[in-house]
Amino acid sequence: MKHRIVVLGAGYAGAFAAGNLARRLSPADTEITVVNAVPDFVERMRLHQLAIGQDLAFRKLADVFAGTGVRLRLARVTGVDPERRTVAVTGEDGDGELAYDTLLYALGSSVAHHGVPGVAEYAFDVTGRSSALRLRERLAGLGEGGTVLVVGEGLTGIETATEFAESRPGLSVQLAARGELGAWLSPKARRHLRQAFDRLGITVHEHTGIEAVEPARAIAADGTSIPADVTVWSAGFAVHPIAAASGLEVAETGQIVVDRTMRSVSHPDVYAAGDCAYAIGENGRPLPMSCASAGFTNMQATAAIIARLTGGEVPTVGLKYYGNHISLGRRDAIFQMVDGDVRSKSWYLGGKAAARLKSGVLKGAGWGIAHPTFGMPKRKRRLATAADRDGMGVAA
């Protein structure tokens, strides 16, 4: 019987991982299935562009995995039973169950409401294609002079606010920051960021925590009312409670606690990658939820799975965060390098050069997803027998 590998999620982490596994493991011994709720690969890093009205081409996952041997199951994951090694799903074909021998959990994250009243009912977000399209429809009906409030001074909030202000100069765009705008950046990069906000006419409300959202305004912690026809919530990410409900060991964030090889510390047949993995980086801190972290963790998880199944030595992939790349509209950007303690270095790249670099990163990531097995070792490795793996001291 073939070894059944099930990958949950076909985002940046899951799609890359599935292609890596398919390229390097023999189909005579393994069966790889990817479960995803939608038929397309969603470029999450570009959803703020979709929301403001830009047309993005979405790649069909069926085309992405064509010829790779990867099976695609279009369904939503509703539960995981790590004791029985099964995944419960629901889709157009109704409810079902998938059995696995090795599970790679890469379901990503969604917007974090933080329990703030009115966010779920009245706010918009750009963490998924459906939510970005909902925001797109609302913005399309918003006339000149309409007001948009972006809540959150992180990367998503900054990119959303600047993209909206540049693409729709007739809108009044505001950003609410709990602290100082760009506080984590180097002084020169922070100046660059503020100049970009001034150039684009974005109003910044610093040291302003939002404690309630209503249909036409947001309420700050000090009681101040900020009028807004549209409130875009970008104050962090949260993972789905499926992992916690399954009995897998999770952190307070709900992320799956993994060891250095991205293997669940409570269930050795389960690996996690991307935003849903609580992985400790080389600096001793949890990796941030980001596309970069998705790359590190999926490479480590697939390397570990392949090594353990084929009786090899498990390699370690670097888990070092190098910096932030922030789009400021289409023609400006900031690339801020950080040190081992995630503190900004004095050097940064800004302006058109940084924008071209960011564009290249986005195109490269998209091309890589469209060619999931490109550039990987061509040798299809056969699985070792259980006795061989045990003899080499490698856990299955």
Side-chain angles (χ1 to χ4, degrees):
M1 182 177 178
K2 292 184 179 182
H3 188 95
R4 299 161 297 183
I5 301 175
V6 174
V7 180
L8 304 183
Y12 291 106
F16 274 122
N20 195 338
L21 293 167
R23 181 63 177 251
R24 299 175 63 187
L25 293 173
S26 171
D29 300 330
T30 55
E31 177 183 288
I32 302 169
T33 301
V34 174
V35 181
N36 202 60
V38 297
D40 306 320
F41 170 70
V42 177
E43 289 187 80
R44 187 172 184 176
M45 292 190 293
R46 301 183 68 180
L47 287 179
H48 57 292
Q49 298 174 30
L50 177 68
I52 200 58
Q54 295 182 31
D55 293 325
L56 303 180
F58 291 97
R59 295 174 175 83
K60 294 292 183 184
L61 289 172
D63 296 334
V64 167
F65 294 122
T68 66
V70 174
R71 299 183 179 187
L72 177 63
R73 176 72 178 268
L74 294 179
R76 182 170 56 87
V77 177
T78 57
V80 175
D81 188 337
E83 306 305 328
R84 295 177 52 238
R85 296 183 183 176
T86 58
V87 177
V89 300
T90 185
E92 293 183 354
D93 299 330
D95 298 340
E97 190 174 79
L98 291 173
Y100 66 83
D101 298 300
T102 296
L103 179 71
L104 178 54
Y105 191 109
L107 288 178
S109 62
S110 58
V111 65
H113 294 166
H114 300 299
V116 175
V119 172
E121 295 84 359
Y122 306 119
F124 296 79
D125 67 83
V126 291
T127 58
R129 185 172 67 169
S130 60
S131 59
L133 288 173
R134 174 173 167 262
L135 174 56
R136 180 187 178 114
E137 182 178 0
R138 177 70 180 94
L139 291 173
L142 196 61
E144 297 298 297
T147 57
V148 177
L149 173 66
V150 178
V151 179
E153 70 273 27
L155 306 186
T156 302
I158 291 173
E159 293 196 337
T160 299
T162 53
E163 189 75 45
F164 285 12
E166 181 180 271
S167 298
R168 293 279 303 276
L171 295 178
S172 174
V173 180
Q174 309 171 76
L175 183 140
R178 295 191 68 89
E180 178 186 352
L181 179 66
W184 74 94
L185 295 170
S186 64
K188 290 182 179 179
R190 195 179 313 141
R191 259 195 317 273
H192 187 113
L193 176 64
R194 288 184 175 278
Q195 289 169 356
F197 269 60
D198 290 343
R199 172 173 52 82
L200 294 169
I202 301 170
T203 301
V204 182
H205 304 278
E206 292 186 310
H207 307 290
T208 303
I210 301 300
E211 296 201 345
V213 176
E214 297 179 359
R217 66 174 184 168
I219 310 299
D222 62 1
T224 300
S225 175
I226 304 177
D229 296 310
V230 176
T231 296
V232 183
W233 195 261
S234 58
F237 303 105
V239 299
H240 198 284
I242 287 176
S246 71
L248 292 165
E249 184 172 334
V250 299
E252 291 184 2
T253 58
Q255 295 167 289
I256 298 172
V257 180
V258 295
D259 64 14
R260 182 59 178 77
T261 68
M262 302 303 124
R263 194 182 205 179
S264 165
V265 298
S266 62
H267 293 80
D269 303 306
V270 177
Y271 294 77
D275 288 354
C276 56
Y278 188 79
I280 304 301
E282 294 177 8
N283 58 6
R285 302 177 186 177
L287 291 176
M289 294 185 186
S290 68
C291 183
S293 297
F296 301 149
T297 55
N298 97 70
M299 287 189 290
Q300 179 60 80
T302 52
I305 291 170
I306 292 164
R308 289 187 171 119
L309 291 181
T310 59
E313 182 178 349
V314 178
T316 55
V317 174
L319 300 178
K320 182 179 180 181
Y321 200 71
Y322 290 96
N324 299 126
H325 206 162
I326 315 163
S327 293
L328 305 174
R330 296 294 84 219
R331 296 179 293 276
D332 193 5
I334 290 173
F335 181 58
Q336 175 68 71
M337 297 290 290
V338 299
D339 61 20
D341 293 320
V342 201
R343 292 176 302 195
S344 294
K345 296 183 178 181
S346 59
W347 179 88
Y348 88 102
L349 179 67
K352 292 182 179 179
R356 287 194 293 269
L357 179 58
K358 179 61 178 286
S359 177
V361 169
L362 294 173
K363 290 178 181 177
W367 191 92
I369 290 293
H371 304 81
T373 62
F374 178 81
M376 297 176 186
K378 295 182 178 180
R379 177 189 170 200
K380 298 279 190 177
R381 300 173 65 179
R382 298 297 300 267
L383 268 60
T385 65
D388 290 338
R389 292 196 296 267
D390 291 342
M392 298 182 68
V394 180

